[in-house]
Structures are given as C-alpha cells and as structure tokens.
Amino acid sequence: MDPAAELNRPEDLISTFPGLIGTAGPLRAAWVYTPIGGMIAVCSETALHMLEFPNRAILQAQLARTARAGAIAPGHTDLTATLQDELTAYFAGRLSRFTIPLALHAPSFTVKVWTALQAIPYGTLQTYTDVARSIGQPGDPDKGRKHQ
C-alpha cells in the first residue's frame, strides 16, 4: 500500500493522537501533502484552525488548544481541498497569497504578530524590528533573544 494513502486513514489520526482526535466533532483533521512533507490540517467549514508538521514537539499542545474551539474528528471539509490546492500551487510558484480564512487560536499578542506577518507582501523581507514597529511594540530587538 502507498504510505501516503495510509496516512489518510481516519484510524491513523485517532490512534496517533488519542484523546485529542475522536470520532465526531465540528473540526476535521486530515493529512495534506507538500514537497517538504506531509502536514496535519484541522479545518471547520469556515476556517483553517491548524496546519502543522506531525513530528513537531508542540503538536500535542497545538491540537489541545485547537480542540477548545470544538471537537476534532478525522475527515475533510471543502476548505481542506482548497488548502491542498493552494499549497500545491504555492510550492509550484503559481500562488503568492493564500485565500483560506484562518481561525487564530493564540494569545492576543501572538494574533497581533501573526496578523502583521500576513500583511507582509510576498517576496518582501522584514526584520523582527520592522514587525515589532508595525504592531506598535518597537522595544529592544535583542530582548528575549538568547545571547551567545
């Protein structure tokens, strides 16, 4: 059997994340594919709630935070298919701006930063200081950075 096809089996998601992905709920978790690896996408009918690589150490915590918006079950929504199409087009160089609506599950400061990052035009370089200024938090650019 094709390994990629195996990842689409609902029981794989349920057994990999017991207690976080069940058999019913308004959010659907599915595997999507990119040239840099498979990812787990959690979508509702109206927004992308999470997109992450399965081997990340923080995945369990992200799934738990996402599940606060509703129970997660294996499956696809129309947005899952749109997301897969957009990821394919992006990596093929045919897309520079995603249209998928996002449901951002994070503290307000983090959401503010993510919103600022989304406003950066494709192909443009901005520093951490640029982003901090854009959200009204210029501060010390070295604050929080580990010094060598």
Side-chain angles (χ1 to χ4, degrees), residues 5-137:
E6 281 189 38
L7 291 177
N8 266 326
R9 297 183 317 185
E11 59 269 22
D12 290 336
L13 285 168
I14 293 170
S15 64
T16 303
F17 305 104
L20 293 173
I21 297 180
T23 57
L27 302 179
R28 297 286 181 251
W31 297 99
V32 294
Y33 304 95
T34 76
I36 57 174
M39 301 181 81
I40 297 173
V42 178
C43 295
S44 65
E45 292 295 331
T46 58
L48 172 64
H49 290 255
M50 190 189 90
L51 180 64
E52 188 58 84
F53 291 101
N55 58 349
R56 294 281 314 273
I58 62 170
L59 182 60
Q60 296 279 348
Q62 288 178 312
L63 280 167
R65 184 173 53 214
T66 301
R68 290 184 210 140
I72 303 171
H76 296 80
T77 68
D78 290 343
L79 278 181
T80 310
T82 301
L83 174 63
Q84 182 65 73
D85 291 345
E86 288 192 1
L87 285 168
T88 299
Y90 176 81
F91 282 105
R94 299 186 316 266
L95 181 73
S96 60
R97 185 149 182 89
F98 291 88
T99 64
I100 299 289
L102 303 176
L104 303 176
H105 303 284
S108 61
F109 177 78
T110 303
V111 170
K112 197 174 185 180
V113 172
W114 288 346
T115 302
L117 293 173
Q118 291 174 56
I120 299 171
Y122 179 80
T124 302
L125 175 66
Q126 287 196 4
T127 66
Y128 288 118
T129 301
D130 295 334
V131 174
R133 285 187 185 125
S134 78
I135 63 170
Q137 300 284 325

